[in-house]
Amino acid sequence: MNAPAQSNRQLVSPSAPRRRPARVCRSCLFYEGMTFTLEAPTLGAMRCASFRIGPEGICSICAEFQAVEIRRDEEYAEFLEAVNKHSGTAAVVAVSGGRDSLSALWFLKHELGLEVIAVCLDSGYMVPAALTQLRELCATHDIDLRVFGLGEDEAGTLTHAVETLASSDGSPCHLCSTYTAHRLTSVADECGAPAVVFGTNHFFRWDDRPIGLFHRKRPDGRTRVTVGLPYVARLTRSDATRHTQAMGALIQTTDGISTNCHVPALLQVRIGRECGHVPELEMLSLEVITGHLTREEALADVIKAATASKTAELDWLIETMANAREH
């Protein structure tokens, strides 16, 4: 789950999407003629609109990330300082029942030895088995779990975003993250936790540099940090797999690739037809850029999701990604 990013524009494209095999960045999975959708707020409109693949086959986003100052080690050190000097509940953690948030929860509880509270937003699109397992795992590992639903207005806005991709408040995934952040803040204010944690494998947003940690004022005037733990701690998918296995979690995909939410499957056909790719491609590319995934792992996931969608409009994407495996 991503931390909230602000954007009123959901589709940012430097050119019309292609429906024939396209050139793919040699470092990530972003392709020539790319239309950015769900991760456009994370990257920023200007960066998406100026996207290109250079003569050596590296895209402008990869090239910029490699050149810009990355402060995630400093961000991780700042997070550790905040939680280690605090007695009581050190962190409030967003959990969705998926691999990444469960990995973050395990890491905080068992590897860092912190007292945590887990917060889950049941948006109405959550896979029931994932929520059931989450309850069982938290009970087994003595973790305080708080499950919240959506208010009537929130539910209506989210449904509209899922159906149209036209919400002025953000994409469905960013909307859900925003609603989750409200619950996290409320719980953190209640318990006085100095940190709010998301299981985000890439940066929250990219201004002058990629941001994996930001600050908020607490009601008592002190500063609370919000952090994407896997990103700042440089955790990989192999780490996440190790953590969830140790936790006793069963990670199963549904509707193609998602382990905990039906929304990606609901968006696959429309985004495939309008933009030419599965929703996961953008997130997976960011995870490759930041080192959470290997390019081969991401390629396999995208091909799996595109194949599972059974959407003829994505046949070109399967061919494009298969070609990218060979180069």
Side-chain angles (χ1 to χ4, degrees), residues 82-92 113-117 191-195:
V83 296
N84 286 334
K85 68 182 182 182
H86 182 79
S87 59
T89 301
V92 177
L114 300 176
E115 183 179 333
V116 298
I117 295 176
C191 69

Side-chain angles (χ1 to χ4, degrees), residues 102 133 137 243-251:
L102 289 176
Q133 177 176 244
L137 290 172
H243 297 157
T244 52
Q245 287 176 345
M247 195 175 202
L250 178 62
I251 305 300

Side-chain angles (χ1 to χ4, degrees), residues 14-53:
S15 61
R18 299 188 178 188
R19 294 296 184 267
R20 62 180 185 276
R23 190 163 60 132
V24 179
C25 173
R26 291 172 56 191
S27 291
C28 70
L29 306 189
F30 291 145
Y31 58 87
E32 208 165 32
M34 180 92 183
T35 297
F36 293 86
T37 58
L38 301 185
E39 295 300 341
T42 305
L43 288 166
M46 291 298 294
R47 192 168 285 108
C48 294
S50 62
F51 172 80
R52 63 183 179 82
I53 295 181

Side-chain angles (χ1 to χ4, degrees), residues 162-202:
V162 170
E163 292 174 350
T164 67
L165 269 182
S167 170
S168 63
D169 298 312
S171 72
C173 297
H174 282 87
L175 267 177
C176 198
S177 294
T178 298
Y179 297 153
T180 300
H182 294 162
R183 275 70 175 181
L184 290 165
T185 298
S186 176
V187 174
D189 287 346
E190 173 192 326
C191 69
V196 165
V197 175
F198 285 87
T200 310
N201 297 322
H202 56 75

Side-chain angles (χ1 to χ4, degrees), residues 13 17 22 24 27 77 80 85 101 138 169-170 173-174 217 222 250 273 275-276 278 293 304:
S13 175
V24 179
S27 291
L80 290 177
K85 68 182 182 182
S101 64
C138 286
D169 298 312
C173 297
H174 282 87
K217 284 292 185 182
R222 289 183 286 181
L250 178 62
R273 287 173 177 167
C275 307
V278 291
L293 281 180
K304 178 182 176 182

Side-chain angles (χ1 to χ4, degrees), residues 23-297:
R23 190 163 60 132
V24 179
C25 173
R26 291 172 56 191
S27 291
C28 70
L29 306 189
F30 291 145
Y31 58 87
E32 208 165 32
M34 180 92 183
T35 297
F36 293 86
T37 58
L38 301 185
E39 295 300 341
T42 305
L43 288 166
M46 291 298 294
R47 192 168 285 108
C48 294
S50 62
F51 172 80
R52 63 183 179 82
I53 295 181
E56 302 205 354
I58 304 300
C59 77
S60 52
I61 292 173
C62 283
E64 186 180 354
F65 186 82
Q66 291 164 9
V68 75
E69 178 189 12
I70 307 297
R71 293 192 61 252
R72 57 178 164 176
D73 292 334
E74 292 89 340
E75 290 173 334
Y76 185 47
E78 184 176 348
F79 163 72
L80 290 177
E81 181 181 7
V83 296
N84 286 334
K85 68 182 182 182
H86 182 79
S87 59
T89 301
V92 177
V93 190
V95 290
S96 61
R99 174 174 48 214
D100 300 326
S101 64
L102 289 176
S103 169
L105 189 61
W106 170 268
F107 187 83
L108 293 166
K109 174 76 174 179
H110 295 288
E111 297 205 12
L112 296 185
L114 300 176
E115 183 179 333
V116 298
I117 295 176
V119 171
C120 176
L121 179 68
D122 184 1
S123 65
Y125 294 97
M126 190 173 181
V127 175
L131 180 56
T132 298
Q133 177 176 244
L134 178 60
R135 293 183 188 277
E136 294 171 350
L137 290 172
C138 286
T140 299
H141 294 275
D142 194 26
I143 296 171
D144 183 359
L145 172 66
R146 317 277 179 92
V147 179
F148 295 88
L150 290 178
E152 184 176 349
D153 290 344
E154 292 173 327
T157 301
L158 180 60
T159 298
H160 178 70
V162 170
E163 292 174 350
T164 67
L165 269 182
S167 170
S168 63
D169 298 312
S171 72
C173 297
H174 282 87
L175 267 177
C176 198
S177 294
T178 298
Y179 297 153
T180 300
H182 294 162
R183 275 70 175 181
L184 290 165
T185 298
S186 176
V187 174
D189 287 346
E190 173 192 326
C191 69
V196 165
V197 175
F198 285 87
T200 310
N201 297 322
H202 56 75
F203 44 83
F204 288 146
R205 65 179 190 271
W206 190 346
D207 300 328
D208 294 334
R209 63 174 179 82
I211 304 295
L213 176 147
F214 56 87
H215 304 88
R216 290 284 186 270
K217 284 292 185 182
R218 294 159 52 179
D220 59 9
R222 289 183 286 181
T223 298
R224 174 182 298 126
V225 297
T226 297
V227 64
L229 182 66
Y231 171 70
V232 301
R234 298 181 181 270
L235 300 179
T236 66
R237 175 172 287 185
S238 295
D239 293 321
T241 299
R242 175 170 55 84
H243 297 157
T244 52
Q245 287 176 345
M247 195 175 202
L250 178 62
I251 305 300
Q252 294 182 310
T253 59
T254 183
D255 302 324
I257 195 170
S258 178
T259 60
N260 58 344
C261 183
H262 291 298
V263 169
L266 296 173
L267 299 181
Q268 272 185 358
V269 173
R270 187 166 64 257
I271 289 181
R273 287 173 177 167
E274 295 177 3
C275 307
H277 59 260
V278 291
E280 294 83 6
L281 184 144
E282 297 173 45
M283 177 192 70
L284 291 169
S285 289
L286 290 181
E287 292 180 354
V288 171
I289 290 170
T290 57
H292 178 76
L293 281 180
T294 66
R295 187 171 185 263
E296 181 60 31
E297 286 172 328

